[in-house]
Structure formats: structure tokens, C-alpha cells
Amino acid sequence: ALRRAFPPFSQLAPLTPFVELSRFPLFLGTACFTFEGGALVIPIAESLEPAQKKHFCKIFVQTMSVVVLLFTSFGAIGYVAFGHDVQIP
């Protein structure tokens, strides 16, 4: 529908799925493994002194943002370097 509505898009090659739906459980397991430390947030936050608690949320968000950026960067670099030649077990 997008190709008919906007003529410049009609020249684009047809899109292929980025991943197969059958590999979604592997993605989900990897994502859970990556962020499993998140379960420690509540015990850590409760053990902090009141003066430290006001900084905890900001530091936690910054840390998780860096983790997401690193994992995304490594994944993107790996995909750019090896492309479709990568075999997922």
C-alpha cells in the first residue's frame, strides 16, 4: 500500500523479514539474560541510605541506557560486519 501511495517507494526492493518468528524465543531468552540484574534493583535501593537514594534512580537509568547502547552497538556492528552469513543455532 505504501508503494502505491508514494511513487518513489515503488522502486524499492521488497522487504524481507529481519528475523523469523520461530527465533523469537531465542531473542526473549537473550533479552532476559541481558537484563537479569534488574531484579536486584529493589534490594539495592532499599539498602541505601536516604542521602544516596535520591541519586540512585538517575544512576540506574544512565547505567541501563549504557548497557542497551552497548548491546545494540555490538549487535549492529556484528550484523554490518558479517551480514546474513551469521548462523544462529
Side-chain angles (χ1 to χ4, degrees):
L2 184 64
R3 293 172 193 271
R4 284 179 285 184
F6 299 101
F9 288 112
S10 64
Q11 299 170 0
L12 295 176
L15 296 175
T16 57
F18 188 68
V19 295
E20 296 173 15
L21 192 56
S22 64
R23 293 189 178 166
F24 183 74
L26 178 64
F27 161 76
L28 193 59
T30 304
C32 289
F33 174 75
T34 301
F35 297 105
E36 70 180 318
L40 298 173
V41 172
I42 294 173
I44 291 172
E46 291 299 318
S47 69
L48 295 175
E49 297 175 6
Q52 296 172 327
K53 282 187 180 183
K54 64 180 180 179
H55 301 292
F56 179 75
C57 185
K58 179 181 175 184
I59 293 171
F60 176 72
V61 168
Q62 289 174 347
T63 303
M64 292 307 286
S65 298
V66 168
V67 168
V68 168
L69 181 66
L70 283 174
F71 274 95
T72 305
S73 298
F74 276 95
I77 291 169
Y79 186 76
V80 168
F82 301 107
H84 292 294
D85 296 334
V86 175
Q87 298 293 321
I88 298 175

